[in-house]
Amino acid sequence: MPAVSRVAIAGGGVAGTAAAIFLAERGVQVDVFEQKADLHALGSGITIQGNALRVFDRLGIWPQVEAGSYTFNEVSLRAPGPGAQVLATIPDQRTGGPEFPATAGMYRPDLARILVERAREVGADVHFGATVASFAADEDGVDVITSDGLERRYDLLIGADGLHSSIRGMLGIEVAPQRTGMGIWRAFVPRPESVTHTDLYYGGPCFIAGYCPTGQETMYAYLVEPAQDRSELDQASKIAVMRGLAEAYGGPWNEIRDALDDAARVNYTWFTSHVVPDAWNRGRVVLIGEAAHSCPPTIAQGAAQAAEDAQVLAELLLGRDRVDDDLWTAFHARRLPRASAVVEASVQLGRWLLDGERDADVPGLMGRIAHLVSEPA
Ligand SMILES: Cc1cc2nc3c(=O)[nH]c(=O)nc-3n(C[C@H](O)[C@H](O)[C@H](O)COP(=O)(O)OP(=O)(O)OC[C@H]3O[C@@H](n4cnc5c(N)ncnc54)[C@H](O)[C@@H]3O)c2cc1C
């Protein structure tokens, strides 16, 4: 018998739905409580690396992800300025193995829909517009009360409720995301025909200008700048600022700039990082995904690490017959060093840009992380 037969999950993002699918398809009763009212939240694009695609395959959603994304195997470096000269085109490591592309670009809400549909298909109960209001854990289980009035006892509560996790707060864990000093403008725009993979432009008024195709018709574009308080800007001003910064870049940016309007859903976010040290669980309550660790998307590993957390946790819960210290020791041994290495490297890459470090061994660091995450979690 698996170590759990009834599990509550707070948060229906990548980590929460992935855990729900792995557990529910093996007969565990799973309730997912997602605070959003429905799936129709607006979003931008996401760059998904091969090691995440490998987990998506195990979740049974790779065919849908492949059909709903734009896949590619290289990245180009281009010069800032009107010419947008291509400086180099580098093959990307296929971190999920040769059967998966190196990278898939995708519209975030499409990925969210695929994950939730799969979770429901395998029997998980996904409750939208609901949060875990309180819980009381003892040696044998967790009593959970939700904002929509449910009171149930579970064998385990998984806090997969993202960056500002309320479960983390309720556990009394004081580690919180710290700003790394960078902010990112993102917009969802039509794909110029010439864009067939990610291009990165280092320099100009931004640390990084880049884009990633997400479908035949669509892509998302981004500009990374020193973090600023942009919270007072209305939507028209946001569009104007992003357009102004984009003036420094040519090539496909000429078309991207013209497409920056209300429909492009321009948004601005700060980069953060954190890792809950030592242990992500307190008894029968455990944090996974961004509730436990976050990193700036400089190597686009956030979704992959969240999915891997879910996979490893589910594997241990299904392969053992009790929730005990041995299980948590095994979980942390497999997840803490790997997620911490990804966070450290992602922060380091940003730090080098912030410090204007010209001799940094960026390819060396990227290569080490690609090698690390190529090994299955
Ligand atoms: C600007 C930016 C760009 C990024 N780009 C990339 C990228 O290109 N590639 C990549 O791999 N990663 C990227 N990431 C990181 C990636 O988005 C995250 O690592 C990933 O989404 C983490 O998944 P998660 O399930 O842990 O958290 P989330 O996806 O944040 O999901 C958490 C869920 O919990 C819900 N929730 C929150 N609070 C509660 C509550 N109290 N009760 C119930 N539900 C709750 C939320 O509504 C949400 O649905 C980026 C991050 C940022 C900030």
Side-chain angles (χ1 to χ4, degrees), residues 2-322:
V4 288
S5 53
R6 204 167 201 189
V7 171
I9 301 178
V14 173
T17 50
I21 295 165
F22 281 126
L23 294 170
E25 71 182 355
R26 292 279 302 278
V28 176
Q29 283 182 47
V30 179
D31 284 309
V32 179
F33 302 101
E34 164 56 50
Q35 71 172 5
K36 279 190 215 127
D38 57 39
L39 267 175
H40 302 292
L42 292 179
S44 187
I46 184 163
T47 302
I48 309 167
Q49 304 294 0
N51 59 317
L53 303 179
R54 176 173 55 205
V55 182
F56 289 172
D57 185 44
R58 293 178 69 162
L59 289 167
I61 61 166
W62 168 233
Q64 295 92 311
V65 169
E66 187 177 24
S69 64
Y70 193 107
T71 60
F72 49 93
N73 293 303
E74 64 270 299
V75 60
S76 288
L77 304 179
R78 296 176 75 144
Q85 186 195 355
V86 177
L87 304 170
T89 297
I90 307 156
D92 252 346
Q93 192 153 326
R94 292 180 171 213
T95 54
E99 59 272 48
F100 301 105
T103 311
M106 199 165 182
Y107 182 47
R108 268 182 191 259
D110 285 347
L111 176 61
R113 180 183 43 76
I114 289 169
L115 282 161
V116 168
E117 281 176 4
R118 177 71 181 150
R120 285 184 161 154
E121 185 184 74
V122 296
D125 221 336
V126 184
H127 309 246
F128 280 102
T131 61
V132 169
S134 65
F135 62 83
D138 56 47
E139 274 197 13
D140 303 316
V142 191
D143 293 312
V144 169
I145 301 179
T146 67
S147 59
D148 59 350
L150 266 180
E151 289 186 33
R152 275 192 193 154
R153 186 163 174 83
Y154 296 91
D155 300 317
L156 184 75
L157 168 62
I158 301 178
D161 51 348
L163 200 58
H164 305 292
S165 167
S166 63
I167 302 294
R168 189 176 66 222
M170 288 190 236
L171 286 174
I173 297 174
E174 285 178 1
V175 177
Q178 301 296 311
R179 293 178 210 160
T180 68
M182 289 175 158
I184 185 169
W185 290 98
R186 284 181 298 170
F188 197 67
V189 291
R191 179 180 72 90
E193 224 174 285
S194 62
V195 172
T196 55
H197 55 257
T198 288
D199 289 333
L200 297 172
Y201 306 62
Y202 289 97
C206 297
F207 295 116
I208 311 168
Y211 38 76
C212 172
T214 51
Q216 287 306 318
E217 310 293 334
T218 59
M219 67 172 213
Y220 74 105
Y222 47 91
L223 295 167
V224 180
E225 63 167 15
Q228 297 175 48
D229 184 359
R230 302 290 200 178
S231 57
E232 301 294 313
L233 297 183
D234 61 18
Q235 198 54 22
S237 311
K238 285 183 182 166
I239 292 168
V241 172
M242 187 167 179
R243 225 186 249 155
L245 291 168
E247 286 290 343
Y249 305 95
W253 278 100
N254 297 326
E255 284 168 76
I256 296 168
R257 237 181 352 263
D258 289 346
L260 294 178
D261 56 19
D262 280 341
R265 295 168 228 151
V266 170
N267 67 72
Y268 186 72
T269 317
W270 284 334
F271 287 172
T272 64
S273 80
H274 78 287
V275 181
V276 173
D278 306 326
W280 296 351
N281 79 301
R282 299 291 182 272
R284 286 176 176 262
V285 185
V286 62
L287 304 175
I288 61 170
E290 278 204 340
H293 49 82
S294 70
C295 55
T298 41
I299 38 181
Q301 269 292 321
Q305 293 309 302
E308 288 182 2
D309 287 349
Q311 183 194 317
V312 172
L313 178 62
E315 196 183 306
L316 292 168
L317 292 169
L318 295 166
R320 292 170 179 240
D321 59 4
R322 72 188 63 171

